[in-house]
Amino acid sequence: MQLKTIRKSILATSLVTLTAAETMVPFGNSTRWAMTYNGKVTGPTLRVHPGDHVTVKLVNNLKQATSLHTHGLHVSPEQDNPFIMVEPGKSYTYTYDIPANHTAGTFWYHPHMHGITAEQVASGLSGAIIVEDMDDDQLNTISTNRVLVINDPPLTDKNPWADASDSAKSNDSSMGGMNHDMSGMSGMDGMSGMDGMGGMGNNSSGVDMMTAMMGRTGPKLLTNGFEGVDLTGSGGKLERLHIVNATASTSLKLIYSGAKMFVLSSEGGRLPAPKEVKEVTLANSERTEIVLIPGTNGGTLTAQRLSNEGNGAAMGSPEKIASIAADAGSDISSLPISFMMANTRDLFASDVKVANQRVVTLSGHMTPTIDGKLFDPNVVNFTAKKGTVEEWVIDNTTPMYHPIHLHTWGFQVQGEEGWQDVVTVAPNSKKVIRIAFDDFAGTTVLHCHILDHEDTGMMAIIKVD
Ligand SMILES: [Cu+2]
């Protein structure tokens, strides 16, 4: 615990500025158009610790409004507030108090501008958040600590969705909903959206109906802006990678050709112990933390795109994510047998009291909905009590996969290991989750993380008090 105290004193005043802007970025021997934070193809990695107070100033130099969401981070809905929007030329300072008992893990930040979220994330606005705890002190001595952010942006010389996003910005697409729990807001500089809810733009920006339904994808998977990265210079340490699927709509299956692959974390933090796997499926917005053992000739991590409909079959050829050098560490015995800070609480244990059970139905095809309703910023769809555990059956009656993301409160999926913030429900099937509304009263959202679905209205408001 002493280590954390020391870190907190160092990081207590940490201030990060993220400047969102359209930028020409290097690609191959040429350049491509992107939306970037601080001019880079991937936003800076925010490394934080339980107990930290983090300040992030978002400067909007885009031609459209934007915002910031700290995906998966367990902070109050007032701080990670999806109803804030920052107009072009303005800035907003977010502050985050990371709870002292926050789990370690891989999280990420991205815009949450209803109506144009898919456009902004697909264009490159994303970065990783790594929460490190005392287990990381040990892991950092035996392994690398690299961050790979995967996306599939348009490979164009200008914004392919510009016209639509401009019109969306000027009328209906603002996130609105500012009447929800805005007390105690601070850091305001040019924030807007307090009025004029508008019609919420139940159309996805700049794409046709079919693309909005299937979710927009790009021609190539890029890893930190490259068509695969070559990882060398581990100094004999194990290769430990934090991987973020930051695509707008593309589910991925990661496959490794080297000797062994171990998963250390689920979306919601570290597993009780490292687990050897053959492959890792990451729906868009999901993350993993893995250790790759090279084998005699090294190894290559590839990703296969998965269809968002039918049986979720693999599509196209595997695309390179990273190659692992043969001289990377291979001493598996140095991996911890278990993690001392892992969250081993089981929400499906027999002694857990379930305060409420409900069925949440996903329906519709061209325009998917939650419980038959499109997002309305003035309607609270769900209410729950702080300090309770609820059981939700997510019933997907549509022919598409939907990775459903709940802000703020972590949950467990029946039959699956670890904690999650995204549950992917296959067509015409159900999944049962239990949500721990332990702390943080407030109002936020749950939505499909196929971001074109979110933008077309597959989002609902939840209020916890
Ligand atoms: Cu969806």
Side-chain angles (χ1 to χ4, degrees), residues 110-308:
H110 63 78
H112 210 291
M113 279 300 303
H114 182 61
I116 48 178
T117 302
E119 176 186 344
Q120 294 189 359
V121 173
S123 298
L125 290 177
S126 58
I129 303 170
I130 310 295
V131 179
E132 298 189 335
D133 66 10
M134 293 166 77
D135 288 311
D136 287 273
D137 297 331
Q138 183 183 1
L139 287 167
N140 286 336
T141 66
I142 61 164
S143 63
T144 63
N145 186 346
R146 312 208 208 225
V147 174
L148 306 183
V149 177
I150 302 171
N151 64 3
D152 56 349
L155 303 179
T156 54
D157 59 6
K158 63 180 174 40
N159 184 349
W161 309 298
D163 292 346
S165 61
D166 289 349
S167 65
K169 173 181 80 78
S170 64
N171 48 59
D172 284 345
S173 77
S174 58
M175 178 72 194
M178 302 299 290
N179 48 344
H180 296 294
D181 278 21
M182 294 303 293
S183 58
M185 294 270 311
S186 61
M188 211 171 294
D189 167 21
M191 192 189 76
S192 65
M194 298 297 286
D195 52 20
M197 293 300 112
M200 295 315 298
N202 290 323
N203 56 335
S204 198
S205 67
V207 296
D208 57 43
M209 282 290 282
M210 186 58 75
T211 306
M213 184 183 82
M214 299 305 293
R216 72 188 71 192
T217 60
K220 291 176 191 291
L221 293 176
L222 302 186
T223 303
N224 297 346
F226 297 95
E227 292 177 70
V229 292
D230 298 326
L231 302 179
T232 59
S234 66
K237 287 182 172 181
L238 298 172
E239 276 295 358
R240 179 165 58 109
L241 311 177
H242 300 271
I243 300 180
V244 181
N245 180 349
T247 65
S249 305
T250 308
S251 270
L252 302 172
K253 183 163 71 177
L254 302 177
I255 303 164
Y256 182 53
S257 71
K260 286 178 187 291
M261 173 161 63
F262 293 88
V263 172
L264 309 191
S265 296
S266 66
E267 279 67 50
R270 212 153 262 148
L271 299 173
K275 182 181 177 185
E276 187 174 353
V277 296
K278 291 294 177 201
E279 58 190 43
V280 177
T281 299
L282 287 185
N284 38 295
S285 84
E286 292 190 308
R287 297 83 56 203
T288 190
E289 179 187 15
I290 56 176
V291 165
L292 298 177
I293 308 299
T296 49
N297 297 315
T300 302
L301 185 71
T302 56
Q304 184 96 56
R305 298 175 191 235
L306 302 177
S307 172
N308 282 332

Side-chain angles (χ1 to χ4, degrees), residues 65 68 96 98 161 171 224 239 286 297 302 337 360 376 384 424 432:
L68 200 69
Y96 306 104
I98 317 272
W161 309 298
N171 48 59
N224 297 346
E239 276 295 358
E286 292 190 308
N297 297 315
T302 56
I337 297 166
V360 176
D376 181 338
T424 301
V432 179

